Amino acid sequence: MAKHRGEYLMLVEGSVPTEADGVYCTIGGRTALDIVKQAAIGAKAIVAWGSCASNGCIQAAKPNPTGATAIHKIITDKPIIKVPGCPPVGEVMAATLVLLLTFDTIPELDAVGRPKAFYSRRVHDTCYRRPNYDAGLFVESWDDENAKKGYCLYKMGCRGPVTYNACAVTRWNEGTSFPVQAGHGCIGCSEANFWDNG
């Protein structure tokens, strides 16, 4: 990041309404849209925390009357590091910041701007239920005997096969659990448009 003239990292959480000149979200008489644009002027890079800032999230779901928009669609002249998830894994957030601050460099990013270290493998690839998927052992209805045996949740709508994130490895709450371990299929929250594609 040394090649960038900015003096600070800008960390953004949340999507930004853009319709009606952004009046759907005002703070102290100023729109969030204006505040984000002004704050970005001197930033050397921007970190978009969570799926709202990274992809627009549920607020951007069709029909999106407020024009809720991801940060990279508003700020186009700065490096943007997306750390999606709803919420993102805390350790992923911390590691991204530590790399940025310690080495003054942007992590290697995937094709959509996420740190490859955490978003290069599908949830499905590292899920402990994967052997059941491979064996054709699936939960057929919530709380059936197969669910109690920990079978794969793919037939229940699990989006792990199309979702890139570290949740199956890193998990939340100091490695305690993640949605699939809690018995709910992955909803694909780290992928753009998961709310409309699910």
Side-chain angles (χ1 to χ4, degrees):
M1 288 188 306
K3 66 182 178 181
H4 302 289
R5 297 177 188 230
E7 296 297 322
Y8 55 89
L9 293 174
M10 180 175 161
L11 311 177
V12 181
E13 192 274 330
S15 59
V16 178
T18 59
E19 286 297 314
D21 295 322
V23 298
Y24 290 105
C25 181
T26 58
I27 303 162
R30 296 183 60 209
T31 67
L33 181 61
D34 288 338
I35 293 168
V36 165
K37 287 179 178 180
Q38 181 183 13
I41 291 171
K44 58 182 171 180
I46 298 169
V47 180
W49 287 140
S51 293
C52 295
S54 295
N55 304 316
C57 205
I58 293 171
Q59 300 83 268
K62 294 174 186 171
N64 193 5
T66 67
T69 303
I71 299 307
H72 71 276
K73 293 183 178 181
I74 296 168
I75 307 300
T76 58
D77 61 344
K78 305 283 181 182
I80 296 180
I81 300 102
K82 297 178 186 177
V83 182
C86 194
V89 177
E91 288 80 357
V92 172
M93 295 171 74
T96 301
L97 269 184
V98 166
L99 180 78
L100 287 163
L101 295 173
T102 303
F103 298 104
D104 196 31
T105 189
I106 292 174
E108 184 179 1
L109 304 176
D110 67 9
V112 295
R114 304 173 295 195
K116 278 188 175 181
F118 306 107
Y119 298 94
S120 62
R121 295 191 301 181
R122 299 175 303 167
V123 171
H124 184 68
D125 297 331
T126 54
C127 181
Y128 75 98
R129 294 179 189 241
R130 175 67 187 267
N132 290 323
Y133 174 91
D134 294 339
L137 302 172
F138 298 97
V139 173
E140 301 289 339
S141 65
W142 297 116
D143 288 332
D144 68 7
E145 285 304 311
N146 294 343
K148 294 173 185 169
K149 293 176 185 175
Y151 286 4
C152 180
L153 295 163
Y154 180 72
K155 288 186 177 181
M156 300 305 296
C158 182
R159 304 222 8 110
V162 295
T163 302
Y164 290 82
N165 205 332
C167 25
V169 175
T170 310
R171 302 177 182 161
W172 282 270
N173 301 321
E174 299 177 0
T176 302
S177 189
F178 73 113
V180 174
Q181 187 175 343
H184 192 288
C186 169
I187 63 170
C189 71
S190 59
E191 300 300 320
N193 303 318
F194 79 90
W195 49 91
D196 287 326
N197 295 335

